[in-house]
């Protein structure tokens, strides 16, 4: 397992699809998702395992934002992994279902390659 400190944001255009993709097993509450819209980045962690990626907020953000749950993306559901270069920390974009999630972290290119490696192992 690889654990990485991240900030994450879901796509404004795909929020409803993202919520429905996550239900019924794991989800981010609708009220919490609305707080993520408009450019709010939430501090948290990402755990990469042999079969899934789990993304969740840190304790402080859970307290402030309320009812912010973790969510899980099975590796076989990820259709693409991209890295968006920025002036500060780069952004990893994970595409799954008909939606996406963005994660900002240090050494994003390296972490994105690790995710791709785990996906390739899972699919082979």
């Amino acid at each position: 397992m690889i654990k990485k400190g991240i900030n994450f944001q879901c796509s404004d255009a795909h929020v409803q699809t993202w919520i429905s993709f996550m239900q019924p097993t794991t989800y981010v509450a609708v009220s919490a998702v609305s707080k993520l819209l408009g450019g709010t980045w939430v501090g948290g962690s990402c755990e990469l395992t042999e079969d899934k990626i789990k993304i969740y907020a840190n304790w402080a953000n859970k307290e402030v934002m309320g009812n912010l749950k973790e969510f899980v993306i099975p590796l076989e559901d990820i259709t693409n992994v991209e890295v968006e270069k920025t002036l500060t920390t780069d952004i990893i974009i994970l595409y799954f279902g008909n939606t996406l999630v963005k994660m900002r972290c240090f050494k994003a290119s390296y972490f994105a390659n690790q995710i791709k490696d785990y996906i390739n192992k899972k699919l082979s």
Side-chain angles (χ1 to χ4, degrees), residues 28-29 31-33 35 59-69:
V28 173
S31 62
V33 170
K35 293 178 183 181
W59 177 84
N61 278 302
K62 286 179 185 176
E63 289 295 312
V64 171
M65 299 184 88
N67 202 23
L68 194 59
K69 309 258 189 239

Side-chain angles (χ1 to χ4, degrees), residues 43-68:
S45 294
C46 176
E47 292 180 6
L48 173 62
T49 66
E50 294 176 1
D51 60 342
K52 65 185 173 291
I53 291 178
K54 181 168 67 169
I55 299 172
Y56 53 94
N58 59 28
W59 177 84
N61 278 302
K62 286 179 185 176
E63 289 295 312
V64 171
M65 299 184 88
N67 202 23
L68 194 59

Side-chain angles (χ1 to χ4, degrees), residues 8-89:
F8 64 94
Q9 179 190 41
C10 61
S11 167
D12 185 13
H14 298 102
V15 170
Q16 293 305 317
T17 305
W18 183 59
I19 292 170
S20 65
F21 177 84
M22 291 293 129
Q23 291 178 348
T25 56
T26 54
Y27 63 95
V28 173
V30 175
S31 62
V33 170
S34 67
K35 293 178 183 181
L36 292 174
L37 302 179
T40 301
W41 288 85
V42 178
S45 294
C46 176
E47 292 180 6
L48 173 62
T49 66
E50 294 176 1
D51 60 342
K52 65 185 173 291
I53 291 178
K54 181 168 67 169
I55 299 172
Y56 53 94
N58 59 28
W59 177 84
N61 278 302
K62 286 179 185 176
E63 289 295 312
V64 171
M65 299 184 88
N67 202 23
L68 194 59
K69 309 258 189 239
E70 67 184 31
F71 63 99
V72 176
I73 307 168
L75 292 183
E76 63 264 11
D77 291 343
I78 297 174
T79 57
N80 195 17
V81 179
E82 294 179 0
V83 176
E84 181 181 311
K85 299 289 185 184
T86 68
L87 291 174
T88 56
T89 51

